[in-house]
């Protein structure tokens, strides 16, 4: 797994810019309707969840860097890799559905539950269990992604504002 430099700061800048844009849109006179207020609330909830995920990713990066640098942590990293790869694929699938079919966004969980169980069972009684913080950070991130709110039903909202 390769981490890009400056992505943490770039992520905060993008989240901040998105939050400011949402605030500007919400203040537009033509935007104020009950349906659009629900959409604004949904966007605010999603942005809040993204902030939590961003913090959790930073924590995971730190733990992962520690684990990958330690010679005794190889097994923990090997246990974590399938979960992280699956999580990445699930998030990409979610993002693609959000862009192409917002009415039928899949949950971010299809295979993660079993992989988390496998990872935890694989760590019991071995050297990987000593790096419990890496496994806990992964569990925290998976739980946050599972709690990403669903998108409002398209039939119940008016995004035109006109």
């Amino acid at each position: 797994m390769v981490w890009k430099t400056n992505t943490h700061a770039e992520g905060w800048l993008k989240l901040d810019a998105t939050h400011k844009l949402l605030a500007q849109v919400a203040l537009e006179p033509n935007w104020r309707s009950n349906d659009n207020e629900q959409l604004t609330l949904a966007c605010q909830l999603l942005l809040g969840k993204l902030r939590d995920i961003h913090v959790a990713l930073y924590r995971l990066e730190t733990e992962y860097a520690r684990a990958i640098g330690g010679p005794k942590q190889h097994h923990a990293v090997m246990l974590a890799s399938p979960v992280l790869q699956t999580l990445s694929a699930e998030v990409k699938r979610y993002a693609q559905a959000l862009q192409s079919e917002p009415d039928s966004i899949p949950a971010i969980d299809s295979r993660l539950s079993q992989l988390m169980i496998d990872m935890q069972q694989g760590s019991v009684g071995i050297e990987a269990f000593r790096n419990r913080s890496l496994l806990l950070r992964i569990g925290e991130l998976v739980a946050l992604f599972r709690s990403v709110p669903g998108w409002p039903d398209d039939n119940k909202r008016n995004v035109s504002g006109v």
Side-chain angles (χ1 to χ4, degrees):
M1 184 170 288
V2 177
W3 303 106
K4 298 178 183 176
T5 57
N6 298 322
T7 55
H8 189 68
E10 290 172 11
W12 281 119
L13 289 172
K14 289 178 182 180
L15 278 171
D16 186 52
T18 304
H19 182 70
K20 287 178 181 175
L21 180 62
L22 178 61
Q24 289 174 346
V25 168
L27 293 174
E28 288 289 323
N30 291 342
W31 186 255
R32 295 187 184 154
S33 74
N34 192 35
D35 292 335
N36 287 340
E37 286 179 16
Q38 293 297 323
L39 179 60
T40 302
L41 179 61
C43 290
Q44 288 171 336
L45 288 171
L46 184 57
L47 278 174
K49 191 58 65 178
L50 290 174
R51 286 180 188 278
D52 294 344
I53 288 169
H54 194 64
V55 170
L57 280 169
Y58 180 73
R59 290 178 183 158
L60 176 61
E61 273 185 32
T62 303
E63 290 301 327
Y64 192 85
R66 286 181 189 156
I68 209 161
K72 294 183 178 182
Q73 302 304 330
H74 178 72
H75 193 74
V77 172
M78 296 307 292
L79 286 172
S81 291
V83 176
L84 294 174
Q85 290 170 356
T86 301
L87 182 59
S88 175
E90 292 282 312
V91 171
K92 286 177 185 175
R93 187 171 59 92
Y94 178 88
Q96 289 170 346
L98 189 58
Q99 288 179 339
S100 62
E101 301 174 41
D103 292 340
S104 60
I105 298 174
I108 302 176
D109 191 25
S110 63
R111 296 176 305 202
L112 286 171
S113 296
Q114 187 58 48
L115 283 172
M116 286 297 295
I117 291 168
D118 294 346
M119 182 182 73
Q120 290 166 350
Q121 288 176 347
S123 70
V124 174
I126 56 171
E127 195 67 33
F129 193 70
R130 292 185 185 166
N131 192 7
R132 188 154 177 83
S133 57
L134 175 64
L135 304 180
L136 289 173
R137 293 295 177 212
I138 291 171
E140 174 188 23
L141 189 62
V142 168
L144 283 169
F145 272 111
R146 283 182 183 157
S147 68
V148 168
W151 200 247
D153 186 355
D154 201 25
N155 296 326
K156 297 180 183 176
R157 60 186 162 118
N158 172 17
V159 295
S160 67
V162 180

